[in-house]
Amino acid sequence: MMRAKVQVPTMRNSKTARRGRVTRPRLKILWLVHLDYHMAEAHGGNLRFFNYGKKLVSAGHDVYFLVRKRGSDDSVEKESHLNALKQQKIITDYFEIEYDRPRLRGKLGHLLFHPALTNRFLRKQQGPIIDAIRKIITSKQIDLCICTSRDLLFVLPAIRKEVKTIVDWVDSYFLHHLRDARLNLSEYRPDLALNSLRFLADAFIEERYYGRHCAANLSVSSVDKRYLDFVNGNRVKNHILLNGVEPQRTDGVVKIKNQIIFSGNMDFPPNYKSAIWFIDHVFPLLKGRDVRLVIAGANPVKDLVARANEDIEVTGYINDLRHEIARSELYVAPLICGGGFKNKLVEAIASGTFVVATSMAVEFLGSRARNLLLVADTPQQMADAIVAYFQAPQEFAANLEALKKIIDEEFSWENRAREFVEIVCEA
């Protein structure tokens, strides 16, 4: 069954015309998400579709999450979490589907390299999933299907004649693996570099193929968009949709003198690799200055935990991470690989904590914000920047206030949701 395309109405009522606004359609959105229900809001990946869902629902749109059902799921916890999302009006409703590629056929399909060939090879396994999603599209009169779950990208070519489809890539994996390969080569690890190049090739083909089989592509930074432009060759289809940040009151929070903090999920390679780089190469240069380092975030890998000592705390999961950031004197973002939007960096600024970062960590920000931060790329430069801040933190107070103003003005979820609707209507 063919569904009507999402269009921007051209008629205005008299009141709307006087105000100069175009009436937008009510959207019915099916969002294919990769949900980490254990971490919930603590997971940076969840923040994006939770906040967009909430703002879209509050604006009168219907948002349905579609999540995969896995054998490892705690069904009670997962159902409770999804129902809580409904009660909080983050989503209108949700659907679960069960899809597990058979291991042998999945590996053989992977060897076919091109997604079109892989999908043809796995057609028997994928067919019931596509049919189930088509039934949801029909029953809920879905206008738009957004795919964030890369496991379900195969659905998009099959349904694109029935609904508009958008891929929310968030980060470009092509960029991610390219930087990982460069890092491994610079550290003389050719075996790991070759592995990164294999993943890079997979990411290139995937982002090129599916990026051309949808109405629009979303990325979370200008750098990720630039690489998507290169990969799929259609920059008009590619859009930047940054994340936002929730404001936070920090009145009464007392800073812990000389405490610096870096945060994130510490089983995510860009995070733990960057944390290890900072501990091994930058922190020794601060010896004798009574500096305390906190590495905060869930699931720290063994190599990171092994580096903890009396001056370095590896916390694991923290219930109120933003409070821990707010009471630290300085936030460091020593990113040496990866890409995308750095949620915790923006949250640090919003929480009243100044930032020292590498160029890679702040590349998603505009030049006005970048120029207000301390940016350093070598170990010595970063150590010098940290010392400079601790010697005279009052000299950076004006920069921090200007940064907080930029965050308040430019990074609200309300503004981002409006941008999202504009992109959808343009598509």
Side-chain angles (χ1 to χ4, degrees):
M1 179 178 178
M2 294 291 289
R3 303 302 317 158
K5 294 181 179 180
V6 179
Q7 296 178 336
V8 182
T10 56
M11 298 296 291
R12 303 185 185 187
N13 60 37
S14 58
K15 184 183 290 187
T16 304
R18 285 195 300 271
R19 293 178 181 173
R21 293 198 300 267
V22 179
T23 302
R24 293 301 185 196
R26 178 182 177 181
L27 300 172
K28 293 179 178 291
I29 300 168
L30 181 64
W31 203 321
L32 282 52
V33 301
H34 183 81
L35 179 69
D36 186 338
Y37 60 91
H38 294 297
M39 295 294 293
E41 291 83 359
H43 193 290
N46 290 346
L47 281 176
R48 186 167 174 87
F49 41 80
F50 283 5
N51 282 283
Y52 276 120
K54 184 176 182 179
K55 299 306 178 186
L56 290 165
V57 170
S58 68
H61 305 291
D62 291 332
V63 178
Y64 301 91
F65 278 4
L66 185 139
V67 299
R68 283 182 61 192
K69 185 177 182 180
R70 295 178 172 85
S72 59
D73 283 340
D74 181 328
S75 58
V76 174
E77 181 185 356
K78 186 176 185 180
E79 183 179 0
S80 175
H81 178 67
L82 287 164
N83 284 325
L85 295 181
K86 286 176 62 177
Q87 293 171 2
Q88 296 165 26
K89 297 186 177 179
I90 291 173
I91 58 174
T92 307
D93 207 344
Y94 67 89
F95 301 92
E96 282 191 279
I97 57 168
E98 193 167 354
Y99 173 65
D100 290 306
R101 277 200 293 189
R103 290 186 178 182
L104 179 59
R105 291 184 66 84
K107 289 179 179 179
L108 289 173
H110 181 75
L111 290 175
L112 294 173
F113 196 65
H114 195 279
L117 295 175
T118 300
N119 294 344
R120 182 176 290 274
F121 186 74
L122 297 175
R123 182 168 49 191
K124 185 176 180 180
Q125 286 71 35
Q126 294 176 354
I129 308 304
I130 294 170
D131 291 341
I133 290 175
R134 280 185 169 138
K135 288 179 181 178
I136 296 170
I137 290 170
T138 301
S139 65
K140 296 298 180 182
Q141 298 183 310
I142 299 297
D143 306 300
L144 172 69
C145 182
I146 307 171
C147 187
T148 301
S149 172
R150 295 190 180 225
D151 292 339
L152 297 175
L153 282 168
F154 66 85
V155 172
L156 300 186
I159 65 171
R160 66 175 181 157
K161 292 182 180 180
E162 299 161 57
V163 293
K164 286 293 183 184
T165 58
I166 291 178
V167 181
D168 185 14
W169 297 102
V170 188
D171 305 349
S172 167
Y173 280 15
F174 173 71
L175 169 61
H176 172 97
H177 292 302
L178 177 63
R179 285 177 167 173
D180 212 37
R182 288 173 177 168
L183 178 63
N184 287 325
L185 285 172
S186 71
E187 296 178 347
Y188 306 104
R189 295 184 292 188
D191 54 333
L192 295 180
L194 286 172
N195 200 42
S196 296
L197 289 172
R198 180 175 68 81
F199 287 125
L200 180 149
D202 288 344
F204 180 90
I205 294 295
E206 182 178 75
E207 291 176 9
R208 182 177 180 85
Y209 177 75
Y210 290 112
R212 292 180 166 190
H213 280 79
C214 61
N217 298 284
L218 305 180
S219 58
V220 81
S221 79
S222 59
V223 179
D224 289 274
K225 180 187 180 301
R226 188 163 70 243
Y227 278 83
L228 282 179
D229 291 345
F230 169 74
V231 169
N232 66 35
N234 193 340
R235 63 179 59 194
V236 176
K237 272 190 177 184
N238 304 327
H239 303 269
I240 303 168
L241 189 66
L242 302 176
N243 282 352
V245 64
E246 291 288 350
Q248 176 172 325
R249 294 185 63 86
T250 56
D251 301 342
V253 177
V254 178
K255 296 288 187 184
I256 299 174
K257 184 174 176 58
N258 288 357
Q259 177 168 298
I260 59 180
I261 188 169
F262 175 50
S263 60
N265 287 326
M266 288 301 158
D267 58 353
F268 181 53
N271 287 343
Y272 71 74
K273 288 180 181 180
S274 298
I276 289 172
W277 176 83
F278 184 86
I279 291 170
D280 289 354
H281 300 286
V282 180
F283 201 69
L285 301 176
L286 301 172
K287 189 175 181 180
R289 295 187 176 274
D290 194 28
V291 174
R292 181 172 184 269
L293 171 64
V294 175
I295 303 295
N299 308 315
V301 297
K302 290 181 180 179
D303 284 350
L304 185 55
V305 173
R307 285 166 166 79
N309 58 41
E310 60 181 9
D311 297 318
I312 302 171
E313 181 182 5
V314 181
T315 68
Y317 176 78
I318 291 181
N319 188 47
D320 191 350
L321 184 53
R322 288 193 67 172
H323 177 75
E324 188 66 27
I325 292 172
R327 71 192 192 118
S328 298
E329 193 169 358
L330 186 65
Y331 188 93
V332 291
L335 274 296
I336 57 171
C337 55
F341 188 97
K342 312 304 183 295
N343 293 296
K344 293 299 184 287
L345 188 152
V346 177
E347 289 175 357
I349 295 169
S351 302
T353 302
F354 197 71
V355 176
V356 172
T358 59
S359 300
M360 198 175 291
V362 299
E363 64 188 4
F364 70 98
L365 294 170
S367 59
R368 187 160 65 104
R370 290 199 305 270
N371 292 336
L372 293 168
L373 295 167
L374 284 172
V375 180
D377 288 312
T378 69
Q380 190 62 59
Q381 289 171 349
M382 182 158 279
D384 290 344
I386 292 169
V387 170
Y389 179 82
F390 282 147
Q391 286 178 339
Q394 68 279 2
E395 293 184 7
F396 299 92
N399 282 23
L400 182 56
E401 286 304 310
L403 284 163
K404 289 172 69 176
K405 186 176 181 181
I406 291 172
I407 298 303
D408 290 343
E409 292 174 353
E410 299 181 12
F411 288 85
S412 73
W413 284 108
E414 287 83 358
N415 290 340
R416 294 288 175 250
R418 283 193 289 271
E419 290 176 13
F420 175 82
V421 174
E422 291 292 335
I423 290 170
V424 168
C425 291
E426 182 182 329

